[in-house]
Structures are given as structure tokens and as C-alpha cells.
Amino acid sequence: MTVHIGAKKDEIAKTVLMPGDPLRAKFIAEKYLKDFKQVTSVRGMLGFTGIYKGKEISVMGSGMGMPSMGIYSFELFTEYDVDNIIRVGSCGSFQEDVKVRDVVIAMGACTNSRYASQYDLPGTFCPTASYSLLSKAVSVAEKLDLPVKVGNILSSDIFYDDDPDSWKKWARMGVLAVEMEAAALYMNAAKLKKNALVILTVSDSLVSGELTTSEEREKTFTDMMEIALNLA
Ligand code: HPA
């Protein structure tokens, strides 16, 4: 057990899917996993381990934001010998052609956070996905005939930005969408020589102001989950 995870060492699989919401983790376990059991509930951050297509897989909430994702992914990688963490989350679109309900795979994650300052680098670090997980995700999506957009995203520390137009500068650099966790996950994976990937469904658009309804979110959520579960 660690400070923030109550599971025993052998109760977590080598591949962990991480939605932000712990109740979403419970829903994923109930909907997709066979013979699953709850392995942790410290601070209500539920985690489950079960079987998908004959392979053991875990699913656990990450919480919102880079500090929370930073804590859980670090403990999973270092204390539970997890090899692969796949975040399955939502994002807000920055681009006209990235529509609500689309699936975005984060090849890279820009950030406005100071998370990288801990490494004391003589420059700017570029947090990127694991190429093996990324290429596998793209081929799974092609095989299942699920369209995906692969590119750069922004991991922001700010949801309610004082400047409502600041996102447009990222948009001009081709950044596809915003969420709040990927860069911390990618940096932990880089530092610890592990694999990480972030798959997102577009829940809202900063371009059009459009929002998804809950049924629509459910449908695209299914597409994202099909891709993520087949990476175990
Ligand atoms: N901002 C940050 N995170 C998000 C958003 C957003 O608009 N939508 C979904 N996650």
C-alpha cells in the first residue's frame, strides 16, 4: 500500500486505465471487466482490477488536474510496477475541425503548469505519448473503423481562465484541445521509463460553444473505451 492507494502490490495489473472520475472507473469495471474486484478506495479514488478478453487490466480514477494525476500515476509506476497507464478522459476543442464527440489521441501535451521545473532542465521539456501505445491505438482505431484525431493537446492548470481568449494562442499553434492531466502523466512516464497514452473524447468546443449531451457522451465514450481496452 502507498500513501494514496490502498491496494496490495499484486492487486493492480500491468496496464491501468485512468478516467478522471472515480465513479467512471466503477462504471468501466462493471460494464467491461469480468471477475473484477475493488482494490482501493482511499479518499474515494476507486480502483478495480478484472479481466478483459482474457487479460488482466485495472481501472482507477486519476482525479482532476496535474497534481492529482501526478500523485496516482507516480505511485502506480513506482510502487505497483505498472508498465502502461492509459488516461481515458474528456477535452475541450480548440479547432473548427475537431468536433464534439470526436476522439483525440494526444501525441504531445503542452502545458502552462510548472510540473517540469522539478527536473531542473536547461530548456523546455516536450511531454509525449509512448510511441508503441500510440501506434497500437491508431491501428486498433483503424481496425475498428473509429475515426481519431492525433496531435498536440494542452494540459492546463486552469479551467476558469480569467482571460477567455487565451486558448486562441494555443489554437494558432495547432493545438487540438484542452484537458488538465496529460502532461503530468507523460512526464512521470518519461522520468520513470514507463509507457503512457492519453485518449480523449471531445465534450465541448471552445470554438463553437457546443456541449455534448450525456447520451452523446456515452456513445463516444464507448468508442474511446474500445480503443483503450484493446491496448492491454
Ligand atoms: N477545459 C479543461 N478541461 C476540459 C475541458 C475544458 O474546456 N473540457 C473537458 N475537459
Side-chain angles (χ1 to χ4, degrees), residues 113-128:
S113 116
R114 276 180 40 77
Y115 197 84
S117 66
Q118 64 181 306
Y119 308 119
D120 197 23
L121 297 165
T124 310
F125 186 74
C126 171
T128 55

Side-chain angles (χ1 to χ4, degrees), residues 90-92 159 178-180 203-204 206:
S90 64
C91 63
F159 188 86
V178 58
E179 51 82 88
M180 307 185 80
S203 59
D204 57 283
L206 284 89

Side-chain angles (χ1 to χ4, degrees), residues 5-205:
I5 303 175
K8 296 194 200 86
K9 188 154 180 170
D10 63 355
E11 287 181 323
I12 292 186
K14 292 291 172 196
T15 297
V16 182
L17 304 189
M18 300 193 86
D21 178 354
L23 292 178
R24 189 42 78 92
K26 182 166 188 267
F27 175 82
I28 291 168
E30 287 167 349
K31 185 172 162 90
Y32 297 102
L33 304 188
K34 268 199 226 149
D35 303 327
F36 68 88
K37 76 168 190 176
Q38 186 178 306
V39 293
T40 184
S41 64
V42 178
R43 291 177 183 243
M45 196 55 76
L46 305 175
F48 304 83
T49 297
I51 305 291
Y52 181 79
K53 289 190 182 166
K55 288 185 185 153
E56 195 181 54
I57 191 163
S58 295
V59 52
M60 179 178 164
S62 70
M64 289 186 287
M66 291 180 54
S68 186
M69 171 58 95
I71 289 168
Y72 293 114
S73 61
F74 190 90
E75 291 182 8
L76 289 169
F77 282 144
T78 58
E79 304 293 330
Y80 290 92
D81 294 338
V82 167
D83 292 329
N84 309 302
I85 294 181
I86 300 150
R87 161 163 155 74
V88 283
S90 64
C91 63
S93 171
F94 281 175
Q95 303 291 338
E96 186 84 53
D97 63 347
V98 178
K99 309 282 191 199
V100 290
R101 299 178 290 278
D102 282 358
V103 175
V104 170
I105 302 183
M107 184 158 66
C110 309
T111 188
N112 54 20
S113 116
R114 276 180 40 77
Y115 197 84
S117 66
Q118 64 181 306
Y119 308 119
D120 197 23
L121 297 165
T124 310
F125 186 74
C126 171
T128 55
S130 143
Y131 182 72
S132 62
L133 286 178
L134 175 62
S135 60
K136 203 169 164 192
V138 171
S139 57
V140 167
E142 278 169 2
K143 214 159 79 190
L144 299 174
D145 209 17
L146 303 172
V148 292
K149 298 224 162 54
V150 181
N152 219 343
I153 64 158
L154 170 67
S155 295
S156 180
D157 273 351
I158 304 160
F159 188 86
Y160 296 110
D161 200 314
D162 190 48
D163 174 0
D165 288 329
S166 70
W167 66 272
K168 292 178 182 166
K169 294 182 180 174
W170 294 103
R172 286 199 283 274
M173 290 300 286
V175 173
L176 300 179
V178 58
E179 51 82 88
M180 307 185 80
E181 294 81 19
L185 174 61
Y186 285 179
M187 284 190 255
N188 278 353
K191 184 71 207 297
L192 300 168
K193 299 190 167 40
K194 301 282 188 171
N195 307 307
L197 184 67
V198 172
I199 310 177
L200 305 161
T201 61
V202 179
S203 59
D204 57 283
S205 170

